[in-house]
Amino acid sequence: MPSAWPCSTYYSDRGPRLARERQLLITGGTVVDQSGSRRADVLVKGDAIAAVEGGRVLRAPAGADVLDASGCVVAPGLVDLHAHLREPGAEEAETIETGSRAAALGGYTAVVAMPNTSPPADSAAVVRQVLQLANGACCEVLPAGTITVGREGRVLAPMAELAALGVKIFSDDGSGVQDAGLMRRAMEYASALGVVIADHCEDASLVGSGVVNEGAISSALGLPGRPAVSEEVMVLRDIALAHVTGARLHLLHLSAATSVAAVRAAKASGVAVSAEVTPHHLALTEDNLAAYSTAFKVNPPLRTFTDMMALRGGLGDGTLDVVATDHAPHPEEAKDTSMCEAAPGMLGLETALAVVFSELNFPLERVLAAMSWVPARIGGIAGQGGPVTPGSPANLCVIDLARRWVVQPGKLASRSRNTPFAGRELLGKVRHTVFAGEPVVVAEEAQR
Ligand code: DOR
Ligand code: ZN
């Protein structure tokens, strides 16, 4: 049954037909969800959790599949509020199929697909297309809609029409909405519709033609810089706009210490704002660019050690709510060029959990909160993020926290190879992923 996929961990025949019949027993693991941690076996029937029992007491019903979770954590599937799946329009970089496989391998059971596709998701037709492609995917794929038509920052997208199709997150990600008046109106609509504005914070007039963080490294390399203040001014502007409009504002991929301080102050004064940080901004700095590799070019750019430590502090004290990947696949020819020409962005879905777990000394519950149930809540994604209790939808991942592995770009399920973690040894690997009751990822050793 398993595996015609390039990645040998897949069932190739997933579909709702199987989900209805299937029984699945996940044995020997430690269940960790928002209510805490306990040793328990988990029985799945169809697409829902049927029983959770402590101490290996469950027997596999006849015909049930068994997934070995001994020595592992059984957690709600991860939820990514920020991934670029590139379909429609850039299928040479990624498709919803390959991106959702990468997601499943990373432990994700739900991913928000960013709307900077080609054409962008600024119309009902494109949103419907993404929803249709999402049907056969290895995880739940939720299309985000653009804030402005064509992401051009001039005219609002038909937000109500897109919200009626189920779009809950609106973003011009890739660039910020430069016009404050337009952003205010977008937030007023978002507030009325009960949807989230996911904000790419970079002021274009300050960014100019910058390609790396403005500072010592940009000077040393002779490259134009993107200053941290370009992020800070838009963070401050949009916090103020969220305050007057009552909109739910989610700040994407924060990169600078000054932004963390701004969010901390906003939260202290009661503004309804949430914020995310990426694994790469938590684990890498501008120093990684010294070797002049475009694998480390990303927007907003990798910044200083001080910025990185402020982001870690912000995640630790809850100022930053979410770790999101900003998975940004690009084909080799888009990266294999000069720093100024190269496309910004890096892969994230298959390495995110391991990077965070390896690089940060955070309690597992904090990591899972930031990568599963908190993003599920912020995105209003029902049935994701747990809890692991009878009756809940069976969206789960099984994580071997002791497993060391080396990131090999050629072995990634993504269609692109642009990982900045190539060759790096990481600690913690997803062993199995169960989506809507189906084991979409099963560790190779479990198939023998
Ligand atoms: O580096 C980035 N790449 N930042 C973005 O905001 C967009 C993304 C992309 O779509 O490639
Ligand atoms: Zn992005």
Side-chain angles (χ1 to χ4, degrees), residues 82 84 114 173-174 253 326:
H82 188 162
H84 299 270
M114 277 294 171
D173 180 48
H253 50 42
D326 197 6

Side-chain angles (χ1 to χ4, degrees), residues 4-205:
W5 297 113
C7 166
S8 60
T9 46
Y10 279 95
Y11 284 93
S12 58
D13 52 359
R14 74 164 299 271
R17 179 181 50 81
L18 283 173
R20 272 200 301 279
E21 317 295 329
R22 190 186 295 276
Q23 295 202 60
L24 184 67
L25 184 63
I26 305 169
T27 60
T30 300
V31 171
V32 180
D33 66 4
Q34 52 270 68
S35 67
S37 159
R38 63 260 179 215
R39 285 294 303 269
D41 290 359
V42 178
L43 179 66
V44 172
K45 285 189 183 166
D47 57 10
I49 295 168
V52 182
E53 297 287 345
R56 261 188 191 277
V57 294
L58 289 175
R59 281 236 180 113
D65 287 324
V66 177
L67 292 183
D68 176 25
S70 44
C72 292
V73 162
V74 180
L78 306 184
V79 174
D80 191 6
L81 289 180
H82 188 162
H84 299 270
L85 302 185
R86 302 294 189 223
E87 204 172 1
E91 290 81 357
E92 71 286 4
E94 198 75 288
T95 63
I96 287 174
E97 186 186 331
T98 59
S100 75
R101 276 193 235 161
L105 278 168
Y108 289 91
T109 52
V111 165
V112 172
M114 277 294 171
N116 63 336
T117 48
S118 182
D122 63 1
S123 69
V126 176
V127 167
R128 280 205 192 92
Q129 185 185 356
V130 174
L131 286 170
Q132 198 171 6
L133 290 163
N135 256 331
C138 281
C139 66
E140 188 172 353
V141 174
L142 302 111
T146 66
I147 296 172
T148 69
V149 172
R151 296 178 47 251
E152 287 173 354
R154 285 201 281 268
V155 177
L156 285 187
M159 292 173 65
E161 194 185 349
L162 305 189
L165 291 173
V167 174
K168 295 193 169 124
I169 294 181
F170 288 82
S171 182
D172 272 6
D173 180 48
S175 41
V177 176
Q178 304 302 316
D179 183 319
L182 193 61
M183 189 56 143
R184 177 188 177 178
R185 267 202 287 135
M187 287 200 201
E188 284 166 352
Y189 276 99
S191 176
L193 294 167
V195 297
V196 175
I197 293 285
D199 197 3
H200 178 119
C201 294
E202 284 191 302
D203 181 302
S205 68

